[in-house]
mmCIF file of all heavy atoms in Angstrom:
data_model
loop_
_atom_site.group_PDB
_atom_site.id
_atom_site.type_symbol
_atom_site.label_atom_id
_atom_site.label_comp_id
_atom_site.label_asym_id
_atom_site.label_seq_id
_atom_site.Cartn_x
_atom_site.Cartn_y
_atom_site.Cartn_z
ATOM 1 N N THR A 232 40.532 -38.554 49.277
ATOM 2 C CA THR A 232 39.752 -37.517 48.583
ATOM 3 C C THR A 232 38.285 -37.608 49.000
ATOM 4 O O THR A 232 37.425 -37.053 48.327
ATOM 5 C CB THR A 232 39.832 -37.682 47.042
ATOM 6 O OG1 THR A 232 39.366 -38.997 46.696
ATOM 7 C CG2 THR A 232 41.237 -37.478 46.520
ATOM 8 N N SER A 233 37.978 -38.336 50.100
ATOM 9 C CA SER A 233 36.556 -38.505 50.460
ATOM 10 C C SER A 233 36.119 -37.413 51.438
ATOM 11 O O SER A 233 35.655 -36.361 51.017
ATOM 12 C CB SER A 233 36.291 -39.913 50.989
ATOM 13 O OG SER A 233 36.981 -40.180 52.185
ATOM 14 N N ARG A 234 36.296 -37.632 52.721
ATOM 15 C CA ARG A 234 36.052 -36.591 53.724
ATOM 16 C C ARG A 234 37.129 -36.735 54.787
ATOM 17 O O ARG A 234 37.529 -37.844 55.142
ATOM 18 C CB ARG A 234 34.661 -36.727 54.361
ATOM 19 C CG ARG A 234 33.508 -36.247 53.501
ATOM 20 C CD ARG A 234 33.502 -34.713 53.279
ATOM 21 N NE ARG A 234 32.387 -34.252 52.455
ATOM 22 C CZ ARG A 234 32.407 -34.155 51.126
ATOM 23 N NH1 ARG A 234 33.499 -34.473 50.453
ATOM 24 N NH2 ARG A 234 31.341 -33.700 50.474
ATOM 25 N N GLY A 235 37.559 -35.586 55.335
ATOM 26 C CA GLY A 235 38.722 -35.575 56.215
ATOM 27 C C GLY A 235 38.608 -36.489 57.416
ATOM 28 O O GLY A 235 39.559 -37.190 57.786
ATOM 29 N N ALA A 236 37.416 -36.519 58.032
ATOM 30 C CA ALA A 236 37.279 -37.225 59.308
ATOM 31 C C ALA A 236 37.149 -38.734 59.158
ATOM 32 O O ALA A 236 37.043 -39.449 60.160
ATOM 33 C CB ALA A 236 36.092 -36.669 60.092
ATOM 34 N N VAL A 237 37.169 -39.250 57.916
ATOM 35 C CA VAL A 237 37.230 -40.714 57.761
ATOM 36 C C VAL A 237 38.578 -41.192 58.321
ATOM 37 O O VAL A 237 38.738 -42.325 58.740
ATOM 38 C CB VAL A 237 37.057 -41.121 56.276
ATOM 39 C CG1 VAL A 237 37.220 -42.624 56.095
ATOM 40 C CG2 VAL A 237 35.679 -40.689 55.762
ATOM 41 N N LEU A 238 39.499 -40.263 58.346
ATOM 42 C CA LEU A 238 40.854 -40.533 58.811
ATOM 43 C C LEU A 238 41.050 -39.890 60.188
ATOM 44 O O LEU A 238 40.682 -38.738 60.381
ATOM 45 C CB LEU A 238 41.759 -39.826 57.806
ATOM 46 C CG LEU A 238 43.227 -40.088 57.749
ATOM 47 C CD1 LEU A 238 43.457 -41.513 57.335
ATOM 48 C CD2 LEU A 238 43.854 -39.148 56.727
ATOM 49 N N ASP A 239 41.618 -40.637 61.139
ATOM 50 C CA ASP A 239 42.068 -40.010 62.385
ATOM 51 C C ASP A 239 43.411 -39.355 62.052
ATOM 52 O O ASP A 239 44.441 -40.019 61.988
ATOM 53 C CB ASP A 239 42.205 -41.079 63.477
ATOM 54 C CG ASP A 239 42.703 -40.491 64.792
ATOM 55 O OD1 ASP A 239 43.241 -39.361 64.768
ATOM 56 O OD2 ASP A 239 42.564 -41.166 65.823
ATOM 57 N N THR A 240 43.361 -38.053 61.805
ATOM 58 C CA THR A 240 44.535 -37.372 61.241
ATOM 59 C C THR A 240 45.717 -37.409 62.198
ATOM 60 O O THR A 240 46.867 -37.561 61.764
ATOM 61 C CB THR A 240 44.173 -35.908 60.881
ATOM 62 O OG1 THR A 240 42.923 -35.910 60.199
ATOM 63 C CG2 THR A 240 45.232 -35.288 59.995
ATOM 64 N N ALA A 241 45.444 -37.288 63.496
ATOM 65 C CA ALA A 241 46.550 -37.327 64.470
ATOM 66 C C ALA A 241 47.218 -38.704 64.453
ATOM 67 O O ALA A 241 48.456 -38.809 64.543
ATOM 68 C CB ALA A 241 46.018 -37.003 65.872
ATOM 69 N N ALA A 242 46.410 -39.756 64.300
ATOM 70 C CA ALA A 242 46.976 -41.116 64.228
ATOM 71 C C ALA A 242 47.797 -41.287 62.946
ATOM 72 O O ALA A 242 48.843 -41.945 62.951
ATOM 73 C CB ALA A 242 45.853 -42.150 64.288
ATOM 74 N N ALA A 243 47.313 -40.688 61.844
ATOM 75 C CA ALA A 243 48.059 -40.760 60.579
ATOM 76 C C ALA A 243 49.401 -40.051 60.716
ATOM 77 O O ALA A 243 50.436 -40.544 60.245
ATOM 78 C CB ALA A 243 47.239 -40.136 59.454
ATOM 79 N N LEU A 244 49.385 -38.900 61.403
ATOM 80 C CA LEU A 244 50.630 -38.150 61.610
ATOM 81 C C LEU A 244 51.626 -38.989 62.421
ATOM 82 O O LEU A 244 52.817 -39.052 62.091
ATOM 83 C CB LEU A 244 50.324 -36.829 62.322
ATOM 84 C CG LEU A 244 51.534 -35.938 62.598
ATOM 85 C CD1 LEU A 244 52.172 -35.455 61.296
ATOM 86 C CD2 LEU A 244 51.143 -34.728 63.451
ATOM 87 N N ALA A 245 51.128 -39.659 63.460
ATOM 88 C CA ALA A 245 52.001 -40.501 64.281
ATOM 89 C C ALA A 245 52.596 -41.632 63.436
ATOM 90 O O ALA A 245 53.782 -41.963 63.568
ATOM 91 C CB ALA A 245 51.225 -41.066 65.473
ATOM 92 N N ALA A 246 51.763 -42.211 62.545
ATOM 93 C CA ALA A 246 52.241 -43.302 61.683
ATOM 94 C C ALA A 246 53.269 -42.797 60.673
ATOM 95 O O ALA A 246 54.192 -43.523 60.285
ATOM 96 C CB ALA A 246 51.061 -43.957 60.971
ATOM 97 N N LEU A 247 53.135 -41.544 60.259
ATOM 98 C CA LEU A 247 54.137 -40.943 59.360
ATOM 99 C C LEU A 247 55.439 -40.740 60.122
ATOM 100 O O LEU A 247 56.531 -41.020 59.619
ATOM 101 C CB LEU A 247 53.634 -39.602 58.822
ATOM 102 C CG LEU A 247 52.539 -39.647 57.755
ATOM 103 C CD1 LEU A 247 51.870 -38.284 57.614
ATOM 104 C CD2 LEU A 247 53.107 -40.106 56.404
ATOM 105 N N HIS A 248 55.317 -40.239 61.359
ATOM 106 C CA HIS A 248 56.517 -39.995 62.171
ATOM 107 C C HIS A 248 57.275 -41.285 62.460
ATOM 108 O O HIS A 248 58.491 -41.307 62.467
ATOM 109 C CB HIS A 248 56.142 -39.306 63.493
ATOM 110 C CG HIS A 248 55.977 -37.817 63.347
ATOM 111 N ND1 HIS A 248 56.897 -37.028 62.679
ATOM 112 C CD2 HIS A 248 55.019 -36.973 63.795
ATOM 113 C CE1 HIS A 248 56.492 -35.769 62.710
ATOM 114 N NE2 HIS A 248 55.350 -35.709 63.378
ATOM 115 N N SER A 249 56.517 -42.370 62.708
ATOM 116 C CA SER A 249 57.184 -43.642 63.016
ATOM 117 C C SER A 249 57.793 -44.250 61.763
ATOM 118 O O SER A 249 58.571 -45.197 61.839
ATOM 119 C CB SER A 249 56.186 -44.628 63.632
ATOM 120 O OG SER A 249 55.335 -45.136 62.619
ATOM 121 N N GLY A 250 57.398 -43.742 60.589
ATOM 122 C CA GLY A 250 57.912 -44.273 59.326
ATOM 123 C C GLY A 250 57.082 -45.434 58.812
ATOM 124 O O GLY A 250 57.326 -45.949 57.719
ATOM 125 N N HIS A 251 56.063 -45.842 59.591
ATOM 126 C CA HIS A 251 55.257 -46.988 59.161
ATOM 127 C C HIS A 251 54.399 -46.631 57.947
ATOM 128 O O HIS A 251 54.270 -47.411 57.013
ATOM 129 C CB HIS A 251 54.372 -47.457 60.327
ATOM 130 C CG HIS A 251 53.828 -48.823 60.117
ATOM 131 N ND1 HIS A 251 54.592 -49.966 60.273
ATOM 132 C CD2 HIS A 251 52.606 -49.255 59.727
ATOM 133 C CE1 HIS A 251 53.854 -51.030 59.994
ATOM 134 N NE2 HIS A 251 52.651 -50.617 59.660
ATOM 135 N N LEU A 252 53.819 -45.448 57.978
ATOM 136 C CA LEU A 252 53.069 -44.959 56.811
ATOM 137 C C LEU A 252 54.074 -44.236 55.908
ATOM 138 O O LEU A 252 54.790 -43.337 56.356
ATOM 139 C CB LEU A 252 51.956 -44.001 57.286
ATOM 140 C CG LEU A 252 50.953 -43.507 56.240
ATOM 141 C CD1 LEU A 252 50.202 -44.666 55.582
ATOM 142 C CD2 LEU A 252 49.949 -42.548 56.887
ATOM 143 N N GLY A 253 54.125 -44.668 54.635
ATOM 144 C CA GLY A 253 55.161 -44.141 53.738
ATOM 145 C C GLY A 253 54.862 -42.738 53.230
ATOM 146 O O GLY A 253 55.787 -41.966 52.943
ATOM 147 N N GLY A 254 53.588 -42.390 53.110
ATOM 148 C CA GLY A 254 53.251 -41.064 52.593
ATOM 149 C C GLY A 254 51.746 -40.865 52.660
ATOM 150 O O GLY A 254 50.978 -41.829 52.714
ATOM 151 N N LEU A 255 51.351 -39.601 52.687
ATOM 152 C CA LEU A 255 49.934 -39.273 52.852
ATOM 153 C C LEU A 255 49.580 -38.142 51.892
ATOM 154 O O LEU A 255 50.255 -37.105 51.869
ATOM 155 C CB LEU A 255 49.692 -38.820 54.304
ATOM 156 C CG LEU A 255 48.292 -38.349 54.679
ATOM 157 C CD1 LEU A 255 47.280 -39.491 54.591
ATOM 158 C CD2 LEU A 255 48.292 -37.773 56.105
ATOM 159 N N ALA A 256 48.544 -38.352 51.098
ATOM 160 C CA ALA A 256 48.060 -37.284 50.211
ATOM 161 C C ALA A 256 46.605 -36.994 50.568
ATOM 162 O O ALA A 256 45.776 -37.898 50.619
ATOM 163 C CB ALA A 256 48.168 -37.708 48.751
ATOM 164 N N LEU A 257 46.321 -35.739 50.843
ATOM 165 C CA LEU A 257 44.976 -35.348 51.279
ATOM 166 C C LEU A 257 44.399 -34.285 50.350
ATOM 167 O O LEU A 257 45.065 -33.290 50.056
ATOM 168 C CB LEU A 257 45.028 -34.723 52.684
ATOM 169 C CG LEU A 257 45.609 -35.545 53.832
ATOM 170 C CD1 LEU A 257 45.624 -34.693 55.110
ATOM 171 C CD2 LEU A 257 44.799 -36.812 54.043
ATOM 172 N N ASP A 258 43.158 -34.497 49.914
ATOM 173 C CA ASP A 258 42.424 -33.408 49.271
ATOM 174 C C ASP A 258 41.393 -32.860 50.241
ATOM 175 O O ASP A 258 40.789 -31.818 50.000
ATOM 176 C CB ASP A 258 41.719 -33.917 48.005
ATOM 177 C CG ASP A 258 41.013 -32.801 47.246
ATOM 178 O OD1 ASP A 258 41.660 -31.762 47.006
ATOM 179 O OD2 ASP A 258 39.815 -32.942 46.913
ATOM 180 N N VAL A 259 41.189 -33.599 51.323
ATOM 181 C CA VAL A 259 40.213 -33.214 52.351
ATOM 182 C C VAL A 259 40.908 -33.358 53.694
ATOM 183 O O VAL A 259 41.780 -34.211 53.857
ATOM 184 C CB VAL A 259 38.966 -34.117 52.277
ATOM 185 C CG1 VAL A 259 38.119 -33.793 51.072
ATOM 186 C CG2 VAL A 259 39.350 -35.594 52.260
ATOM 187 N N TYR A 260 40.527 -32.522 54.625
ATOM 188 C CA TYR A 260 41.240 -32.504 55.904
ATOM 189 C C TYR A 260 40.202 -32.431 57.020
ATOM 190 O O TYR A 260 39.222 -31.678 56.918
ATOM 191 C CB TYR A 260 42.193 -31.303 55.928
ATOM 192 C CG TYR A 260 42.809 -31.006 57.272
ATOM 193 C CD1 TYR A 260 43.554 -31.976 57.943
ATOM 194 C CD2 TYR A 260 42.636 -29.762 57.869
ATOM 195 C CE1 TYR A 260 44.105 -31.718 59.188
ATOM 196 C CE2 TYR A 260 43.203 -29.488 59.104
ATOM 197 C CZ TYR A 260 43.917 -30.470 59.763
ATOM 198 O OH TYR A 260 44.462 -30.219 60.988
ATOM 199 N N GLU A 261 40.447 -33.188 58.063
ATOM 200 C CA GLU A 261 39.478 -33.330 59.157
ATOM 201 C C GLU A 261 38.993 -31.969 59.679
ATOM 202 O O GLU A 261 37.829 -31.800 60.014
ATOM 203 C CB GLU A 261 40.145 -34.136 60.282
ATOM 204 C CG GLU A 261 39.197 -34.590 61.345
ATOM 205 C CD GLU A 261 39.846 -35.577 62.327
ATOM 206 O OE1 GLU A 261 41.034 -35.951 62.147
ATOM 207 O OE2 GLU A 261 39.159 -35.957 63.286
ATOM 208 N N PHE A 262 39.900 -31.000 59.739
ATOM 209 C CA PHE A 262 39.530 -29.701 60.329
ATOM 210 C C PHE A 262 39.589 -28.596 59.271
ATOM 211 O O PHE A 262 40.035 -27.482 59.525
ATOM 212 C CB PHE A 262 40.450 -29.400 61.520
ATOM 213 C CG PHE A 262 40.473 -30.540 62.518
ATOM 214 C CD1 PHE A 262 41.578 -31.370 62.643
ATOM 215 C CD2 PHE A 262 39.349 -30.808 63.298
ATOM 216 C CE1 PHE A 262 41.582 -32.445 63.533
ATOM 217 C CE2 PHE A 262 39.344 -31.878 64.193
ATOM 218 C CZ PHE A 262 40.462 -32.703 64.311
ATOM 219 N N GLU A 263 39.144 -28.927 58.059
ATOM 220 C CA GLU A 263 39.242 -27.965 56.937
ATOM 221 C C GLU A 263 38.211 -26.849 57.018
ATOM 222 O O GLU A 263 38.411 -25.788 56.417
ATOM 223 C CB GLU A 263 39.103 -28.694 55.597
ATOM 224 C CG GLU A 263 37.696 -29.254 55.338
ATOM 225 C CD GLU A 263 37.549 -29.908 53.962
ATOM 226 O OE1 GLU A 263 38.326 -30.834 53.648
ATOM 227 O OE2 GLU A 263 36.651 -29.481 53.207
ATOM 228 N N ALA A 264 37.104 -27.071 57.743
ATOM 229 C CA ALA A 264 36.041 -26.053 57.800
ATOM 230 C C ALA A 264 36.604 -24.743 58.342
ATOM 231 O O ALA A 264 37.315 -24.728 59.339
ATOM 232 C CB ALA A 264 34.894 -26.541 58.678
ATOM 233 N N GLY A 265 36.326 -23.659 57.671
ATOM 234 C CA GLY A 265 36.812 -22.349 58.096
ATOM 235 C C GLY A 265 38.204 -22.038 57.562
ATOM 236 O O GLY A 265 38.733 -20.943 57.764
ATOM 237 N N LEU A 266 38.826 -23.014 56.891
ATOM 238 C CA LEU A 266 40.195 -22.840 56.407
ATOM 239 C C LEU A 266 40.257 -22.994 54.887
ATOM 240 O O LEU A 266 40.707 -22.087 54.177
ATOM 241 C CB LEU A 266 41.066 -23.899 57.088
ATOM 242 C CG LEU A 266 42.570 -23.757 57.037
ATOM 243 C CD1 LEU A 266 43.010 -22.427 57.626
ATOM 244 C CD2 LEU A 266 43.218 -24.910 57.803
ATOM 245 N N PHE A 267 39.751 -24.137 54.418
ATOM 246 C CA PHE A 267 39.829 -24.403 52.978
ATOM 247 C C PHE A 267 38.906 -23.448 52.207
ATOM 248 O O PHE A 267 37.957 -22.913 52.744
ATOM 249 C CB PHE A 267 39.419 -25.841 52.686
ATOM 250 C CG PHE A 267 40.547 -26.844 52.917
ATOM 251 C CD1 PHE A 267 41.671 -26.518 53.651
ATOM 252 C CD2 PHE A 267 40.467 -28.120 52.383
ATOM 253 C CE1 PHE A 267 42.687 -27.437 53.864
ATOM 254 C CE2 PHE A 267 41.480 -29.055 52.581
ATOM 255 C CZ PHE A 267 42.591 -28.721 53.325
ATOM 256 N N PHE A 268 39.229 -23.257 50.973
ATOM 257 C CA PHE A 268 38.498 -22.420 50.001
ATOM 258 C C PHE A 268 38.722 -20.924 50.228
ATOM 259 O O PHE A 268 38.121 -20.109 49.542
ATOM 260 C CB PHE A 268 36.970 -22.698 50.020
ATOM 261 C CG PHE A 268 36.634 -24.154 49.853
ATOM 262 C CD1 PHE A 268 36.007 -24.857 50.869
ATOM 263 C CD2 PHE A 268 36.961 -24.829 48.687
ATOM 264 C CE1 PHE A 268 35.702 -26.200 50.716
ATOM 265 C CE2 PHE A 268 36.663 -26.176 48.532
ATOM 266 C CZ PHE A 268 36.038 -26.858 49.556
ATOM 267 N N GLU A 269 39.553 -20.544 51.206
ATOM 268 C CA GLU A 269 39.799 -19.117 51.464
ATOM 269 C C GLU A 269 41.305 -18.845 51.480
ATOM 270 O O GLU A 269 42.107 -19.745 51.709
ATOM 271 C CB GLU A 269 39.206 -18.715 52.829
ATOM 272 C CG GLU A 269 37.716 -18.918 52.966
ATOM 273 C CD GLU A 269 36.906 -18.100 51.965
ATOM 274 O OE1 GLU A 269 37.397 -17.050 51.495
ATOM 275 O OE2 GLU A 269 35.791 -18.532 51.648
ATOM 276 N N ASP A 270 41.678 -17.582 51.285
ATOM 277 C CA ASP A 270 43.083 -17.183 51.314
ATOM 278 C C ASP A 270 43.466 -16.795 52.746
ATOM 279 O O ASP A 270 42.992 -15.785 53.262
ATOM 280 C CB ASP A 270 43.273 -15.989 50.368
ATOM 281 C CG ASP A 270 44.717 -15.493 50.370
ATOM 282 O OD1 ASP A 270 45.581 -16.146 51.004
ATOM 283 O OD2 ASP A 270 44.976 -14.453 49.728
ATOM 284 N N HIS A 271 44.310 -17.607 53.366
ATOM 285 C CA HIS A 271 44.781 -17.302 54.722
ATOM 286 C C HIS A 271 46.275 -16.951 54.704
ATOM 287 O O HIS A 271 46.945 -17.074 55.721
ATOM 288 C CB HIS A 271 44.555 -18.503 55.652
ATOM 289 C CG HIS A 271 43.116 -18.872 55.824
ATOM 290 N ND1 HIS A 271 42.291 -18.274 56.749
ATOM 291 C CD2 HIS A 271 42.331 -19.769 55.167
ATOM 292 C CE1 HIS A 271 41.073 -18.791 56.662
ATOM 293 N NE2 HIS A 271 41.075 -19.692 55.710
ATOM 294 N N SER A 272 46.776 -16.557 53.529
ATOM 295 C CA SER A 272 48.228 -16.391 53.392
ATOM 296 C C SER A 272 48.775 -15.233 54.222
ATOM 297 O O SER A 272 49.969 -15.170 54.487
ATOM 298 C CB SER A 272 48.602 -16.204 51.915
ATOM 299 O OG SER A 272 47.956 -15.057 51.406
ATOM 300 N N GLN A 273 47.903 -14.325 54.650
ATOM 301 C CA GLN A 273 48.389 -13.168 55.404
ATOM 302 C C GLN A 273 48.259 -13.345 56.913
ATOM 303 O O GLN A 273 48.480 -12.399 57.677
ATOM 304 C CB GLN A 273 47.641 -11.900 54.975
ATOM 305 C CG GLN A 273 47.769 -11.565 53.504
ATOM 306 C CD GLN A 273 49.216 -11.540 53.030
ATOM 307 O OE1 GLN A 273 50.066 -10.876 53.639
ATOM 308 N NE2 GLN A 273 49.512 -12.266 51.962
ATOM 309 N N SER A 274 47.899 -14.567 57.347
ATOM 310 C CA SER A 274 47.795 -14.794 58.794
ATOM 311 C C SER A 274 48.537 -16.078 59.164
ATOM 312 O O SER A 274 48.755 -16.937 58.306
ATOM 313 C CB SER A 274 46.327 -14.886 59.215
ATOM 314 O OG SER A 274 45.652 -15.816 58.395
ATOM 315 N N ALA A 275 48.914 -16.174 60.425
ATOM 316 C CA ALA A 275 49.616 -17.378 60.880
ATOM 317 C C ALA A 275 48.626 -18.533 60.912
ATOM 318 O O ALA A 275 47.450 -18.344 61.239
ATOM 319 C CB ALA A 275 50.195 -17.146 62.267
ATOM 320 N N LEU A 276 49.109 -19.718 60.585
ATOM 321 C CA LEU A 276 48.238 -20.896 60.580
ATOM 322 C C LEU A 276 47.957 -21.317 62.018
ATOM 323 O O LEU A 276 48.874 -21.644 62.774
ATOM 324 C CB LEU A 276 48.928 -22.024 59.797
ATOM 325 C CG LEU A 276 48.142 -23.313 59.580
ATOM 326 C CD1 LEU A 276 46.804 -23.038 58.901
ATOM 327 C CD2 LEU A 276 48.962 -24.274 58.722
ATOM 328 N N ALA A 277 46.673 -21.302 62.389
ATOM 329 C CA ALA A 277 46.315 -21.569 63.789
ATOM 330 C C ALA A 277 45.992 -23.043 64.029
ATOM 331 O O ALA A 277 45.325 -23.376 65.001
ATOM 332 C CB ALA A 277 45.117 -20.708 64.184
ATOM 333 N N ASP A 278 46.433 -23.908 63.136
ATOM 334 C CA ASP A 278 46.135 -25.335 63.261
ATOM 335 C C ASP A 278 47.467 -26.085 63.312
ATOM 336 O O ASP A 278 48.073 -26.370 62.275
ATOM 337 C CB ASP A 278 45.289 -25.771 62.062
ATOM 338 C CG ASP A 278 44.928 -27.242 62.099
ATOM 339 O OD1 ASP A 278 45.676 -28.030 62.713
ATOM 340 O OD2 ASP A 278 43.904 -27.609 61.516
ATOM 341 N N PRO A 279 47.945 -26.433 64.537
ATOM 342 C CA PRO A 279 49.263 -27.056 64.655
ATOM 343 C C PRO A 279 49.360 -28.412 63.958
ATOM 344 O O PRO A 279 50.417 -28.773 63.431
ATOM 345 C CB PRO A 279 49.458 -27.221 66.178
ATOM 346 C CG PRO A 279 48.166 -26.877 66.822
ATOM 347 C CD PRO A 279 47.287 -26.204 65.825
ATOM 348 N N LEU A 280 48.246 -29.141 63.896
ATOM 349 C CA LEU A 280 48.252 -30.451 63.230
ATOM 350 C C LEU A 280 48.507 -30.282 61.727
ATOM 351 O O LEU A 280 49.363 -30.950 61.139
ATOM 352 C CB LEU A 280 46.901 -31.141 63.483
ATOM 353 C CG LEU A 280 46.698 -32.553 62.946
ATOM 354 C CD1 LEU A 280 47.723 -33.521 63.528
ATOM 355 C CD2 LEU A 280 45.285 -33.040 63.262
ATOM 356 N N LEU A 281 47.775 -29.337 61.137
ATOM 357 C CA LEU A 281 47.961 -29.081 59.698
ATOM 358 C C LEU A 281 49.352 -28.514 59.436
ATOM 359 O O LEU A 281 50.016 -28.891 58.458
ATOM 360 C CB LEU A 281 46.872 -28.122 59.194
ATOM 361 C CG LEU A 281 46.891 -27.833 57.697
ATOM 362 C CD1 LEU A 281 46.736 -29.101 56.873
ATOM 363 C CD2 LEU A 281 45.791 -26.828 57.314
ATOM 364 N N ALA A 282 49.801 -27.621 60.336
ATOM 365 C CA ALA A 282 51.129 -27.022 60.160
ATOM 366 C C ALA A 282 52.196 -28.116 60.160
ATOM 367 O O ALA A 282 53.137 -28.087 59.354
ATOM 368 C CB ALA A 282 51.393 -26.019 61.283
ATOM 369 N N GLU A 283 52.043 -29.096 61.042
ATOM 370 C CA GLU A 283 53.025 -30.178 61.107
ATOM 371 C C GLU A 283 52.965 -31.042 59.845
ATOM 372 O O GLU A 283 53.995 -31.415 59.282
ATOM 373 C CB GLU A 283 52.744 -31.034 62.357
ATOM 374 C CG GLU A 283 54.001 -31.674 62.909
ATOM 375 C CD GLU A 283 53.760 -32.394 64.228
ATOM 376 O OE1 GLU A 283 52.846 -31.996 64.978
ATOM 377 O OE2 GLU A 283 54.493 -33.362 64.482
ATOM 378 N N LEU A 284 51.748 -31.330 59.403
ATOM 379 C CA LEU A 284 51.604 -32.126 58.170
ATOM 380 C C LEU A 284 52.256 -31.404 56.993
ATOM 381 O O LEU A 284 52.926 -32.017 56.161
ATOM 382 C CB LEU A 284 50.115 -32.358 57.866
ATOM 383 C CG LEU A 284 49.390 -33.389 58.733
ATOM 384 C CD1 LEU A 284 47.883 -33.308 58.513
ATOM 385 C CD2 LEU A 284 49.887 -34.804 58.458
#
Side-chain angles (χ1 to χ4, degrees):
T232 57
S233 64
R234 283 292 180 271
V237 176
L238 193 65
D239 179 343
T240 314
L244 180 65
L247 286 164
H248 278 313
S249 75
H251 197 76
L252 187 59
L255 177 66
L257 302 177
D258 184 49
V259 287
Y260 169 57
E261 191 171 357
F262 307 107
E263 69 177 56
L266 194 57
F267 278 16
F268 307 116
E269 300 299 335
D270 179 6
H271 297 275
S272 60
Q273 301 308 309
S274 51
L276 185 56
D278 180 334
L280 183 60
L281 184 59
E283 209 174 332
L284 285 169

